[in-house]
């Protein structure tokens, strides 16, 4: 009876009752009753997750997977595997999330469950992972499959998450109007099912897209209508909405007002070991610090974000913030070289920042037409006519710079004197109108010379 009550409490998103009843059940459940134990750990996992305690939730779901496999409970195993994907995404461990995603797909294939509605979440989360890697076409295909299965009674939350992610992909592909149409439809579906929390999530995503498109007036309407305030104590369930609120207030130029909110959000995410959100918050803190003429604090926050993001290969999280971040990257590289020296960590982060710069070069969130990129390239060439005069050896040096080689190493590779390399560098700096190797690389990438 206690486990049944806990399950009903879980369906009602009643975290405290689910936790209390499930923990109470632990005291009298027979260890060899695998069915009841798997249901109980599933309840515990969901309760911990809604509480924002991802570490405890992960342990509970791992037990559910093990027990479910032993008793052949296909549905329970798939539910736990799919939730583990989301937990790993929130934890900031994208590679682990990819592992659980493949496990879910393999398990479903072995048991002929690929077309069950529960697989909606697997495809939606796979789409999210592909999106974060900036593999937009593949992400769009997975999301379409996830949405199709979700429409077949696959769970309202998974379906609406699919719509939200589909809108992000469309926006990244330059289809801003279609993105907002998808979210308008998602809002109707959420209202039909009386899901106020999901309506808030969708509205927050709509607001982010409008803000990115420069539609400030309609974006600020949400700011007035939502019940959230910068001096609130943010909850895990409304984390996404509070981060949207922070962006809007910053867009109004009231940066100081969000400093406290961002720090409270960061501490909450750190306590729940949700590093995926920590990266996003650190990025916003970096932008806030830079806007307040605190470049050192901004670059330190950015460095912390990169140290978490680089091993997992995040791209879109940074690209989606637009030109403000793109303009910070060359300055960050210069600061890092001056303050951190040329350690292995420095070189690793430099390589990562260059990947981000490449992603910005090939992504235009406001208008993704390739013809526009060609126009921009032509204009840049007109703006910097001396670029055509870069010699063959100077271009060679430029590529060695991008690879992270020192002056001495470049001289060895080119079989020339060190003084010759320095002479080439001096000429490159003059022609690119820069003063350091980091700026030279960034400018060369911006102008498609690398």
């Amino acid at each position: 009876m206690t486990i049944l009550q806990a399950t009903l409490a879980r369906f009602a998103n009643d975290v405290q009752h689910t936790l209390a009843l499930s923990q109470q059940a632990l005291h009298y459940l027979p260890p060899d009753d695998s069915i009841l134990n798997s249901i109980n750990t599933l309840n515990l996992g969901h309760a911990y997750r809604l509480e924002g305690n991802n570490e405890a939730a992960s342990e509970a779901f791992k037990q559910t997977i093990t027990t479910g496999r032993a008793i052949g409970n296909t549905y329970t195993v798939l539910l736990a595997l799919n939730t583990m994907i989301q937990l790993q995404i929130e934890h900031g461990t994208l590679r682990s999330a990819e592992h659980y995603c493949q496990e879910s797909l393999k398990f479903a294939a072995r048991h002929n469950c690929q077309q069950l509605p529960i697989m909606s979440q697997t495809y939606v989360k796979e789409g999210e992972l592909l999106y974060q890697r900036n593999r937009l076409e593949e992400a769009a295909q997975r999301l379409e499959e996830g949405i199709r299965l979700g429409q077949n009674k696959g769970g309202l939350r998974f379906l609406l998450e699919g719509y939200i992610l589909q809108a992000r992909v469309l926006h990244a592909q330059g289809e801003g109007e279609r993105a907002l149409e998808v979210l308008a439809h998602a809002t109707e579906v959420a209202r039909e099912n009386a899901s106020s929390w999901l309506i808030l999530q969708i509205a927050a995503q709509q607001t982010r897209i409008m803000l990115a498109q420069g539609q400030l007036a309609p974006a600020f309407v949400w700011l007035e209508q939502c019940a959230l305030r910068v001096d609130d104590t943010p909850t895990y369930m409304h984390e996404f909405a509070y981060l949207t609120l922070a962006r809007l207030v910053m867009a109004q130029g009231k940066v100081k007002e969000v400093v406290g909110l961002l720090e409270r959000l960061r501490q909450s995410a750190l306590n729940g070991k949700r590093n995926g959100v920590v990266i996003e918050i650190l990025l916003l803190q970096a932008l806030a610090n830079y806007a307040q003429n605190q470049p050192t604090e901004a670059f330190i926050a950015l460095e912390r974000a990169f140290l978490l993001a680089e091993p997992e290969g995040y791209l879109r999280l940074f690209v989606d913030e637009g030109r403000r971040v793109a303009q910070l990257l060359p300055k960050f590289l210069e600061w890092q070289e001056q303050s951190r020296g040329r350690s292995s960590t420095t070189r690793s982060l430099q390589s990562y920042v260059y990947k981000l710069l490449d992603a910005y070069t090939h992504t235009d969130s406001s208008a993704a037409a390739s013809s526009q990129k060609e126009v921009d390239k032509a204009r840049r060439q007109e703006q910097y006519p001396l670029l055509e005069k870069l010699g063959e050896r100077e271009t060679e040096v430029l590529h060695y710079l991008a690879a992270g080689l020192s002056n001495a190493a470049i001289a060895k590779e080119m079989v020339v004197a060190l003084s010759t390399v320095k002479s080439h560098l001096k000429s490159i700096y003059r022609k690119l109108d820069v003063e350091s190797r980091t700026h030279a690389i960034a400018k060369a990438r911006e102008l498609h010379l690398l």
Side-chain angles (χ1 to χ4, degrees), residues 81-93:
L81 281 170
N82 287 337
T83 310
M84 282 298 293
I85 300 170
Q86 177 61 27
L87 286 172
Q88 296 308 306
I89 291 174
E90 291 180 6
H91 190 56
T93 49

Side-chain angles (χ1 to χ4, degrees), residues 1 3 17 27 43 86 93 111 122 149 243 246 253 272 279 303-304 306-307 310 333 354 358 362 378 410 424:
M1 180 61 74
I3 291 178
H17 275 96
H27 295 298
N43 288 337
Q86 177 61 27
T93 49
H111 293 82
T122 307
L149 290 174
L243 286 169
I279 296 169
E303 184 179 57
R304 289 173 179 168
F306 290 155
L307 287 170
E310 186 271 336
L333 288 173
Y354 294 144
D358 279 340
H362 295 95
I410 293 173
H424 285 318

Side-chain angles (χ1 to χ4, degrees), residues 104-209:
S104 178
L105 292 170
K106 290 176 184 176
F107 185 85
R110 283 197 300 271
H111 293 82
N112 198 28
C113 300
Q114 300 99 314
Q115 296 303 310
L116 287 182
I118 192 175
M119 292 303 293
S120 168
Q121 187 178 11
T122 307
Y123 290 113
V124 166
K125 292 307 169 186
E126 188 180 17
E128 182 173 356
L129 291 166
L130 288 165
Y131 174 76
Q132 196 53 249
R133 303 286 193 226
N134 208 25
R135 293 160 60 181
L136 301 182
E137 290 297 330
E138 294 172 78
Q141 292 172 7
R142 298 301 191 281
L143 291 170
E144 285 180 9
E145 181 67 7
I147 289 170
R148 182 184 68 80
L149 290 174
Q151 290 170 335
N152 187 25
K153 299 180 180 179
L156 178 66
R157 177 172 179 175
F158 308 149
L159 173 62
L160 295 180
E161 283 183 2
Y163 284 136
I164 289 172
L165 285 163
Q166 187 178 55
R168 288 188 197 173
V169 172
L170 287 168
H171 174 62
Q173 293 175 320
E175 299 283 349
E177 289 187 13
R178 282 188 60 200
L180 292 175
E181 287 172 4
V182 167
L183 291 174
H185 173 66
T187 301
E188 292 178 6
V189 174
R191 283 176 176 161
E192 288 172 2
N193 291 272
S195 179
S196 58
W197 175 72
L198 285 168
I199 290 172
L200 178 62
Q201 296 290 97
I202 296 164
Q205 183 61 65
Q206 286 175 317
T207 302
R208 289 193 186 194
I209 290 177

Side-chain angles (χ1 to χ4, degrees), residues 186-286:
T187 301
E188 292 178 6
V189 174
R191 283 176 176 161
E192 288 172 2
N193 291 272
S195 179
S196 58
W197 175 72
L198 285 168
I199 290 172
L200 178 62
Q201 296 290 97
I202 296 164
Q205 183 61 65
Q206 286 175 317
T207 302
R208 289 193 186 194
I209 290 177
M210 288 187 291
L211 188 60
Q213 292 177 345
Q215 300 182 40
L216 300 185
F220 290 146
V221 168
W222 181 84
L223 183 63
E224 295 298 322
Q225 292 179 345
C226 76
L228 311 180
R229 298 294 178 263
V230 292
D231 56 353
D232 290 346
T233 299
T235 60
Y236 161 72
M237 291 292 288
H238 293 142
E239 206 166 46
F240 185 81
Y242 275 109
L243 286 169
T244 305
L245 172 70
R247 286 175 169 86
L248 282 170
V249 176
M250 289 172 66
Q252 289 181 318
K254 303 174 182 178
V255 180
K256 289 184 179 179
E257 293 186 13
V258 302
V259 172
L261 173 63
L262 288 174
E263 185 56 26
R264 291 194 297 278
L265 283 163
R266 190 177 73 90
Q267 289 300 325
S268 174
L270 283 171
N271 292 339
K273 299 188 183 300
R274 298 188 302 280
N275 282 345
V277 181
V278 171
I279 296 169
E280 181 180 353
I281 296 167
L282 284 168
L283 180 56
L284 293 180
Q285 287 181 319

Side-chain angles (χ1 to χ4, degrees), residues 408-419:
I410 293 173
K412 184 177 179 180
E413 290 289 333
M414 297 178 66
V415 195
V416 297
L418 182 59
S419 59

